[in-house]
Amino acid sequence: MLEFIRKHQRLMMGLLFILIVPSFVFFGVSDYSGFVSNEVKIANINKESISQSEFNQTWTERLNAMRQEQGAQFNLAAVDTPANRQIWLDRLISDKVISQEIQEKGYFASDNMVRQALATDPQFSEGGQFSMEKYNNFLQGIGATGQQYENFVRVDQTYQLVTGPATVAVSLPKKTTQLLEDAMTEERSVRLRMFEAANYESGLEVSEAEVQQWYDAHAKELEVPAYVNASYVLLNQEAAVAKVANPSTEELQGYYNSNIRRYSTLERRHVKHIQLPGDNLEKANEVTAKAKADPSSFDALAKEFSMDAGTKNLGGELGVLARGDIAALDDGAFTLAQEGITDPVKVGNSYHIFNIVSIQPGSVKSYDEVKDEVLKEVKLQLASEQFAEMATKLTNIVNDQRNSLQAVQDDLQLEIKQVAGITPTGLLSAEQVGPDAAQGSAVEALFATPRVREVLYSREVFNEGFNSGTIEVSPSEILVVRIAEKIPATVPSLDKVREQVLARVKTEKALRLAREDGAKVLAEVQADSSSTGFSNEVMFSRMLGNQAEGMMNAIMHAPSDKLPSYVGFEVDNGYGIALIESKKEGSADAKQFFNLYQMPQLEVVLGNDVGRGVSSLLREQHKVEVLAPAQQIIAGEQQR
């Protein structure tokens, strides 16, 4: 249901509109307004408004839907950002504007529009035709009747009547389309000469003055962001196993005897066979005699006489078998004590002659050989019950005692440990925060989980200083955390980052030298048309898009009326010169791909841009006013 709401937010808003309008009729506009008169308004649209609570509720529902979809990997800090809150507010305003436009202009989607929308919806299609079965299954899945869903669709189609005509009508002029096709599919034959900064670093000297100068100019780039250090306890399989007493020798030996097959290697035999009719023992004995007289003829005899079409042409090959692999043949295949050919064996309505090509004997490890393994397995089984019991106790303790983890350590003997360098969006390195850094530690995966960081920065844990509740990181790992220390953002002193600064200065000097050298060589080759030092031919095309953007743009934007020609360009790790030798028109396949896939995408982008323009125009007409409290909402602050 959440997935349906996410994909049909506009439809759901339409349903809410249908449910809310009668309340105006029942109470009257003035009475209804009185219910919300104390609300903090963040935007006005004509005489309507959007309140802080309306924004908070819908935004929270959106975040919860995303959390449901993404599970433990949902990263609240990466999603709940000012930019995304701004987008959400704009969406609420646009929906309100379009709703007003619908009411004022009397837009209404006809029954035909609804039927057409349903008939062309791919999720209800099977073999290119509308499938009533798929449609009914869909309705059952979302818990709606056909009439309810058709009302949703009607709302959506009504919205489309406002903005749809402008976006659908968008198309590029034929000449523009042709120019785009030519530009995107054109291929250029290029040879490259690269000047990589790494090749200039050897022997470079950096003075103390250069280090100091760079640090003074770029110290802010080295800032270690604000972070927290945390105390935590972890209940996992190892902790539960540690609480389990060692079983007695009798218990371990009983487990070994009950599971002896797990410590055994079964005998395996390489087997071939000849299958013959079950009503002709004389013929079976005749073939057996020939096989025993000349075992090397067994494959040929199988091909000549066997009734088993699947194996006869393979010399009767059954492969390497353990007892039970082909249970019906066990009595024949495992009769002989050593390699050889059996007498005819009656199996069902057929006689089988078996050739035991080789035998891999089975073995059983003694208890003494596997007693450590048995001990570990038994303790793991006992630990599963212990884990469940400890998890219940852990939950009760942290719910009852929120101000310390000491009770957890005392009652459950779970060690309180420390970890450092946790920000809302990730983990800092040991270089930045010291040897207790979570990054690179044995518990990195735990604290790299977005859910754990979200809990650490929650109001109760971060602001009020309480223990967290139990966090189930995985079915066998339960974590409880609390803030040990809050560290503000700081710029480290030069002494602490000297090596880092030195490396940056050296890299930048090498990069500068590479680019200066490259630009100098470019002037030289342009003067004498030299191709010395250039690579083998490489084909460039915007359709491929397999090169660095700066390189691609320089090569494909370079004039091509006089070839060969040279063009220089900067890349992240240095400088490059391209010798453009020739160009050719794009292939038919490339043009087809462009027109089938890329051109429609460009038209969609253009259509969306036009749609935004229509929305902006409607916002002006409906007197949209974004109020000052909206900026606090967008920034993540709440007016109380």
Side-chain angles (χ1 to χ4, degrees):
M1 189 67 184
L2 285 172
E3 177 67 10
F4 170 77
I5 293 171
R6 183 182 70 80
K7 290 184 177 179
H8 299 85
Q9 288 166 353
R10 202 158 54 193
L11 302 182
M12 294 305 295
M13 291 187 75
L15 178 62
L16 290 173
F17 177 77
I18 292 168
L19 295 175
I20 289 170
V21 167
S23 64
F24 282 96
V25 177
F26 184 78
F27 292 109
V29 175
S30 60
D31 289 338
Y32 192 90
S33 299
F35 294 158
V36 295
S37 60
N38 294 325
E39 282 280 9
V40 176
K41 296 179 180 180
I42 60 176
N44 289 327
I45 303 95
N46 281 331
K47 295 180 180 180
E48 294 185 64
S49 63
I50 295 173
S51 67
Q52 173 183 296
S53 62
E54 181 181 349
F55 177 91
N56 287 341
Q57 180 179 345
T58 57
W59 182 233
T60 299
E61 288 169 354
R62 176 66 185 130
L63 294 175
N64 287 340
M66 294 177 70
R67 190 192 307 278
Q68 184 82 7
E69 294 162 16
Q70 299 174 24
Q73 294 311 307
F74 174 70
N75 190 343
L76 181 66
V79 175
D80 191 17
T81 63
N84 286 338
R85 286 192 289 269
Q86 178 69 66
I87 291 170
W88 191 254
L89 177 58
D90 288 341
R91 181 184 230 170
L92 292 179
I93 291 172
S94 292
D95 281 336
K96 192 84 75 172
V97 164
I98 294 175
S99 293
Q100 290 184 3
E101 185 74 4
I102 288 170
Q103 293 177 58
E104 290 179 10
K105 301 292 174 60
Y107 286 106
F108 185 78
S110 66
D111 291 342
N112 276 339
M113 291 176 65
V114 174
R115 282 194 291 268
Q116 182 66 18
L118 292 173
T120 57
D121 192 328
Q123 66 180 326
F124 307 138
S125 177
E126 186 170 358
Q129 298 292 323
F130 177 79
S131 168
M132 184 57 73
E133 182 181 358
K134 281 194 169 185
Y135 182 57
N136 288 332
N137 289 340
F138 169 80
L139 293 175
Q140 289 179 6
I142 65 172
T145 65
Q147 185 62 51
Q148 287 173 331
Y149 184 65
E150 285 169 22
N151 287 339
F152 293 166
V153 175
R154 193 181 304 277
V155 172
D156 185 59
Q157 291 298 301
T158 304
Y159 270 70
Q160 292 297 329
L161 287 173
V162 179
T163 60
T167 56
V168 172
V170 170
S171 63
L172 291 171
K174 186 174 182 180
K175 186 174 181 180
T176 302
T177 302
Q178 186 62 54
L179 289 171
L180 285 170
E181 179 188 278
D182 292 344
M184 290 298 295
T185 60
E186 179 187 292
E187 296 181 5
R188 296 190 174 190
S189 172
V190 176
R191 296 170 66 192
L192 298 170
R193 184 170 175 181
M194 304 302 298
F195 300 82
E196 296 182 3
N199 296 330
Y200 291 79
E201 287 192 22
S202 178
L204 270 183
E205 294 184 359
V206 177
S207 68
E208 181 60 28
E210 288 176 307
V211 170
Q212 185 66 55
Q213 184 180 11
W214 191 97
Y215 177 81
D216 292 341
H218 301 276
K220 188 65 177 174
E221 297 174 21
L222 302 171
E223 181 179 78
V224 177
Y227 64 91
V228 299
N229 297 332
S231 302
Y232 72 94
V233 292
L234 176 64
L235 172 59
N236 56 13
Q237 190 178 71
E238 289 75 15
V241 168
K243 295 276 287 183
V244 173
N246 284 339
S248 67
T249 301
E250 291 76 15
E251 289 172 317
L252 294 175
Q253 286 181 326
Y255 180 87
Y256 167 80
N257 292 332
S258 299
N259 296 274
I260 196 165
R261 285 179 63 87
R262 296 179 55 193
Y263 311 109
S264 304
T265 301
L266 295 177
E267 177 187 304
R268 301 179 70 82
R269 296 186 168 202
H270 181 189
V271 181
K272 298 181 179 182
H273 81 138
I274 299 171
Q275 183 177 351
L276 298 165
D279 59 356
N280 194 341
L281 178 59
E282 182 180 349
K283 183 66 174 179
N285 285 329
E286 178 188 335
V287 174
T288 301
K290 290 181 179 180
K292 288 185 176 182
D294 182 8
S296 65
S297 68
F298 192 90
D299 290 9
L301 292 170
K303 188 172 183 179
E304 181 179 354
F305 295 108
S306 183
M307 297 165 51
D308 186 350
T311 65
K312 64 182 296 182
N313 291 326
L314 301 174
E317 184 68 65
L318 290 173
V320 178
L321 304 177
R323 191 179 289 275
D325 287 349
I326 306 178
L329 303 183
D330 279 356
D331 289 343
F334 288 86
T335 298
L336 297 181
Q338 57 190 13
E339 294 91 340
I341 296 171
T342 68
D343 291 330
V345 178
K346 188 72 175 290
V347 179
N349 295 324
S350 301
Y351 282 109
H352 292 258
I353 305 162
F354 294 96
N355 181 7
I356 312 305
V357 180
S358 63
I359 299 175
Q360 302 170 13
S363 63
V364 179
K365 292 181 180 178
S366 68
Y367 170 74
D368 287 336
E369 289 179 286
V370 296
K371 63 181 179 182
D372 291 340
E373 184 180 345
V374 170
L375 174 61
K376 183 178 179 180
E377 290 178 7
V378 172
K379 290 193 72 172
L380 280 175
Q381 289 191 6
L382 295 173
S384 64
E385 297 177 9
Q386 182 69 40
F387 181 89
E389 182 181 333
M390 292 177 74
T392 301
K393 287 183 179 179
L394 178 61
T395 301
N396 292 336
I397 292 171
V398 297
N399 285 342
D400 292 342
Q401 302 187 42
R402 305 296 306 278
N403 294 314
S404 170
L405 294 174
Q406 190 60 46
V408 176
Q409 179 170 286
D410 294 343
D411 290 4
L412 298 177
Q413 287 75 56
L414 294 176
E415 183 183 355
I416 301 172
K417 297 183 179 181
Q418 309 296 321
V419 70
I422 307 162
T423 75
T425 56
L427 308 178
L428 302 178
S429 67
E431 249 184 9
Q432 294 171 298
V433 301
D436 288 335
Q439 186 182 112
S441 73
V443 292
E444 177 177 4
L446 296 179
F447 289 91
T449 304
R451 173 66 179 151
V452 173
R453 298 198 306 273
E454 182 183 335
V455 170
L456 261 177
Y457 280 88
S458 66
R459 178 180 56 81
E460 287 192 339
V461 178
F462 186 81
N463 294 338
E464 299 178 17
F466 291 142
N467 299 337
S468 72
T470 53
I471 308 168
E472 185 177 332
V473 184
S474 74
S476 61
E477 292 177 308
I478 298 177
L479 187 68
V480 181
V481 296
R482 66 178 287 110
I483 301 293
E485 189 178 11
K486 299 177 183 178
I487 311 296
T490 56
V491 176
S493 66
L494 177 57
D495 287 342
K496 289 185 176 179
V497 292
R498 183 175 300 278
E499 290 302 316
Q500 185 179 345
V501 172
L502 182 63
R504 292 281 292 274
V505 173
K506 184 175 287 190
T507 297
E508 289 183 10
K509 286 184 74 172
L511 183 61
R512 187 165 57 252
L513 288 173
R515 289 175 175 172
E516 289 172 356
D517 203 2
K520 179 182 176 183
V521 173
L522 174 62
E524 292 173 355
V525 297
Q526 285 175 330
D528 63 13
S529 299
S530 170
S531 60
T532 303
F534 285 81
S535 70
N536 293 330
E537 176 189 70
V538 180
M539 296 305 297
F540 274 72
S541 167
R542 289 184 177 89
M543 291 286 288
L544 297 176
N546 58 348
Q547 300 290 347
E549 184 178 358
M551 180 190 298
M552 178 68 74
N553 287 338
I555 290 171
M556 300 309 294
H557 287 165
S560 59
D561 51 336
K562 294 182 180 179
L563 297 178
S565 67
Y566 300 86
V567 62
F569 50 86
E570 292 184 355
V571 288
D572 291 343
N573 65 336
Y575 190 87
I577 302 172
L579 167 55
I580 306 172
E581 295 187 315
S582 63
K583 69 171 184 177
K584 64 179 180 178
E585 184 180 343
S587 66
D589 287 345
K591 291 182 177 182
Q592 183 181 31
F593 181 87
F594 172 79
N595 286 295
L596 285 176
Y597 300 104
Q598 293 190 320
M599 193 62 216
Q601 290 176 13
L602 290 172
E603 289 178 341
V604 168
V605 170
L606 184 59
N608 289 339
D609 200 38
V610 171
R612 284 191 290 271
V614 171
S615 181
S616 296
L617 181 61
L618 289 174
R619 286 173 67 134
E620 291 179 11
Q621 293 175 352
H622 288 265
K623 300 177 183 177
V624 172
E625 180 188 12
V626 179
L627 305 175
Q631 298 309 312
Q632 295 175 298
I633 294 286
I634 290 167
E637 303 166 1
Q638 295 291 303
Q639 183 173 333
R640 301 297 180 187

PDB file of all heavy atoms in Angstrom, residues 76 115 166 191 217 257 318 351 407 439 519 522 560 628 638:
ATOM      1  N   LEU A  76      18.713   8.920   6.446  1.00  0.00           N
ATOM      2  CA  LEU A  76      17.905  10.107   6.693  1.00  0.00           C
ATOM      3  C   LEU A  76      18.696  11.379   6.435  1.00  0.00           C
ATOM      4  O   LEU A  76      18.182  12.340   5.853  1.00  0.00           O
ATOM      5  CB  LEU A  76      17.389  10.094   8.136  1.00  0.00           C
ATOM      6  CG  LEU A  76      16.512  11.278   8.532  1.00  0.00           C
ATOM      7  CD1 LEU A  76      15.206  11.268   7.753  1.00  0.00           C
ATOM      8  CD2 LEU A  76      16.233  11.264  10.042  1.00  0.00           C
ATOM      9  N   ARG A 115     -11.179   5.421 -19.052  1.00  0.00           N
ATOM     10  CA  ARG A 115     -11.077   4.100 -19.679  1.00  0.00           C
ATOM     11  C   ARG A 115      -9.799   3.981 -20.505  1.00  0.00           C
ATOM     12  O   ARG A 115      -9.122   2.949 -20.477  1.00  0.00           O
ATOM     13  CB  ARG A 115     -12.311   3.854 -20.557  1.00  0.00           C
ATOM     14  CG  ARG A 115     -13.553   3.468 -19.777  1.00  0.00           C
ATOM     15  CD  ARG A 115     -14.630   2.910 -20.704  1.00  0.00           C
ATOM     16  NE  ARG A 115     -15.177   3.939 -21.564  1.00  0.00           N
ATOM     17  CZ  ARG A 115     -16.248   4.677 -21.265  1.00  0.00           C
ATOM     18  NH1 ARG A 115     -16.865   4.492 -20.107  1.00  0.00           N
ATOM     19  NH2 ARG A 115     -16.689   5.595 -22.102  1.00  0.00           N
ATOM     20  N   ALA A 166       0.397  21.238 -22.747  1.00  0.00           N
ATOM     21  CA  ALA A 166       1.615  21.992 -23.062  1.00  0.00           C
ATOM     22  C   ALA A 166       2.823  21.081 -23.164  1.00  0.00           C
ATOM     23  O   ALA A 166       3.659  21.218 -24.063  1.00  0.00           O
ATOM     24  CB  ALA A 166       1.857  23.065 -21.999  1.00  0.00           C
ATOM     25  N   ARG A 191      44.206  10.581 -32.006  1.00  0.00           N
ATOM     26  CA  ARG A 191      45.389  10.033 -31.334  1.00  0.00           C
ATOM     27  C   ARG A 191      45.743  10.982 -30.195  1.00  0.00           C
ATOM     28  O   ARG A 191      45.665  12.205 -30.344  1.00  0.00           O
ATOM     29  CB  ARG A 191      46.544   9.889 -32.328  1.00  0.00           C
ATOM     30  CG  ARG A 191      46.228   8.871 -33.432  1.00  0.00           C
ATOM     31  CD  ARG A 191      47.261   8.912 -34.544  1.00  0.00           C
ATOM     32  NE  ARG A 191      48.567   8.480 -34.064  1.00  0.00           N
ATOM     33  CZ  ARG A 191      49.695   8.622 -34.745  1.00  0.00           C
ATOM     34  NH1 ARG A 191      49.686   9.209 -35.940  1.00  0.00           N
ATOM     35  NH2 ARG A 191      50.840   8.187 -34.253  1.00  0.00           N
ATOM     36  N   ALA A 217      46.008  29.388   2.990  1.00  0.00           N
ATOM     37  CA  ALA A 217      44.986  29.621   1.964  1.00  0.00           C
ATOM     38  C   ALA A 217      43.890  28.557   1.966  1.00  0.00           C
ATOM     39  O   ALA A 217      42.757  28.821   1.530  1.00  0.00           O
ATOM     40  CB  ALA A 217      45.646  29.690   0.585  1.00  0.00           C
ATOM     41  N   ASN A 257      27.098 -38.941  17.660  1.00  0.00           N
ATOM     42  CA  ASN A 257      26.477 -40.176  17.162  1.00  0.00           C
ATOM     43  C   ASN A 257      25.207 -39.883  16.365  1.00  0.00           C
ATOM     44  O   ASN A 257      24.912 -40.562  15.376  1.00  0.00           O
ATOM     45  CB  ASN A 257      26.156 -41.104  18.335  1.00  0.00           C
ATOM     46  CG  ASN A 257      27.412 -41.645  18.998  1.00  0.00           C
ATOM     47  OD1 ASN A 257      28.458 -41.777  18.340  1.00  0.00           O
ATOM     48  ND2 ASN A 257      27.346 -41.934  20.287  1.00  0.00           N
ATOM     49  N   LEU A 318      26.990 -43.422 -16.179  1.00  0.00           N
ATOM     50  CA  LEU A 318      26.104 -42.902 -15.137  1.00  0.00           C
ATOM     51  C   LEU A 318      26.813 -41.875 -14.257  1.00  0.00           C
ATOM     52  O   LEU A 318      26.178 -41.177 -13.468  1.00  0.00           O
ATOM     53  CB  LEU A 318      25.580 -44.043 -14.254  1.00  0.00           C
ATOM     54  CG  LEU A 318      24.573 -44.998 -14.915  1.00  0.00           C
ATOM     55  CD1 LEU A 318      24.279 -46.167 -13.975  1.00  0.00           C
ATOM     56  CD2 LEU A 318      23.299 -44.261 -15.272  1.00  0.00           C
ATOM     57  N   TYR A 351      16.732 -55.634 -17.032  1.00  0.00           N
ATOM     58  CA  TYR A 351      17.979 -56.144 -16.478  1.00  0.00           C
ATOM     59  C   TYR A 351      19.053 -55.071 -16.687  1.00  0.00           C
ATOM     60  O   TYR A 351      19.083 -54.383 -17.724  1.00  0.00           O
ATOM     61  CB  TYR A 351      18.418 -57.437 -17.173  1.00  0.00           C
ATOM     62  CG  TYR A 351      17.660 -58.658 -16.719  1.00  0.00           C
ATOM     63  CD1 TYR A 351      16.740 -59.289 -17.560  1.00  0.00           C
ATOM     64  CD2 TYR A 351      17.883 -59.191 -15.448  1.00  0.00           C
ATOM     65  CE1 TYR A 351      16.046 -60.406 -17.143  1.00  0.00           C
ATOM     66  CE2 TYR A 351      17.178 -60.320 -15.025  1.00  0.00           C
ATOM     67  CZ  TYR A 351      16.267 -60.916 -15.871  1.00  0.00           C
ATOM     68  OH  TYR A 351      15.577 -62.026 -15.448  1.00  0.00           O
ATOM     69  N   ALA A 407      24.386  -0.748  33.786  1.00  0.00           N
ATOM     70  CA  ALA A 407      23.513  -1.858  34.190  1.00  0.00           C
ATOM     71  C   ALA A 407      23.555  -2.986  33.164  1.00  0.00           C
ATOM     72  O   ALA A 407      23.462  -4.163  33.522  1.00  0.00           O
ATOM     73  CB  ALA A 407      22.080  -1.360  34.359  1.00  0.00           C
ATOM     74  N   GLN A 439      35.784   4.082  11.513  1.00  0.00           N
ATOM     75  CA  GLN A 439      36.235   3.751  10.166  1.00  0.00           C
ATOM     76  C   GLN A 439      37.491   2.890  10.237  1.00  0.00           C
ATOM     77  O   GLN A 439      38.455   3.225  10.913  1.00  0.00           O
ATOM     78  CB  GLN A 439      36.521   5.022   9.376  1.00  0.00           C
ATOM     79  CG  GLN A 439      36.849   4.764   7.904  1.00  0.00           C
ATOM     80  CD  GLN A 439      37.172   6.046   7.161  1.00  0.00           C
ATOM     81  OE1 GLN A 439      38.311   6.260   6.748  1.00  0.00           O
ATOM     82  NE2 GLN A 439      36.189   6.906   7.002  1.00  0.00           N
ATOM     83  N   ALA A 519      50.877  22.502 -22.632  1.00  0.00           N
ATOM     84  CA  ALA A 519      50.549  23.679 -23.439  1.00  0.00           C
ATOM     85  C   ALA A 519      51.721  24.066 -24.347  1.00  0.00           C
ATOM     86  O   ALA A 519      51.520  24.472 -25.504  1.00  0.00           O
ATOM     87  CB  ALA A 519      50.176  24.841 -22.523  1.00  0.00           C
ATOM     88  N   LEU A 522      51.832  21.596 -27.194  1.00  0.00           N
ATOM     89  CA  LEU A 522      50.726  21.867 -28.113  1.00  0.00           C
ATOM     90  C   LEU A 522      51.121  22.942 -29.124  1.00  0.00           C
ATOM     91  O   LEU A 522      50.880  22.794 -30.331  1.00  0.00           O
ATOM     92  CB  LEU A 522      49.481  22.309 -27.336  1.00  0.00           C
ATOM     93  CG  LEU A 522      48.289  22.768 -28.189  1.00  0.00           C
ATOM     94  CD1 LEU A 522      47.786  21.632 -29.072  1.00  0.00           C
ATOM     95  CD2 LEU A 522      47.158  23.302 -27.299  1.00  0.00           C
ATOM     96  N   SER A 560      36.337  21.170 -37.275  1.00  0.00           N
ATOM     97  CA  SER A 560      36.744  19.998 -38.055  1.00  0.00           C
ATOM     98  C   SER A 560      36.796  20.291 -39.553  1.00  0.00           C
ATOM     99  O   SER A 560      36.840  19.372 -40.364  1.00  0.00           O
ATOM    100  CB  SER A 560      35.770  18.839 -37.796  1.00  0.00           C
ATOM    101  OG  SER A 560      34.452  19.211 -38.144  1.00  0.00           O
ATOM    102  N   ALA A 628       7.777  33.813   5.551  1.00  0.00           N
ATOM    103  CA  ALA A 628       9.081  33.701   6.225  1.00  0.00           C
ATOM    104  C   ALA A 628       9.276  32.383   6.965  1.00  0.00           C
ATOM    105  O   ALA A 628      10.365  31.791   6.913  1.00  0.00           O
ATOM    106  CB  ALA A 628       9.263  34.882   7.179  1.00  0.00           C
ATOM    107  N   GLN A 638      12.131  24.432  13.333  1.00  0.00           N
ATOM    108  CA  GLN A 638      10.685  24.405  13.544  1.00  0.00           C
ATOM    109  C   GLN A 638      10.276  25.590  14.406  1.00  0.00           C
ATOM    110  O   GLN A 638      10.847  25.817  15.477  1.00  0.00           O
ATOM    111  CB  GLN A 638      10.267  23.099  14.239  1.00  0.00           C
ATOM    112  CG  GLN A 638      10.515  21.869  13.388  1.00  0.00           C
ATOM    113  CD  GLN A 638       9.598  21.790  12.194  1.00  0.00           C
ATOM    114  OE1 GLN A 638       8.387  21.789  12.313  1.00  0.00           O
ATOM    115  NE2 GLN A 638      10.185  21.745  11.013  1.00  0.00           N
TER     116      GLN A 638
END
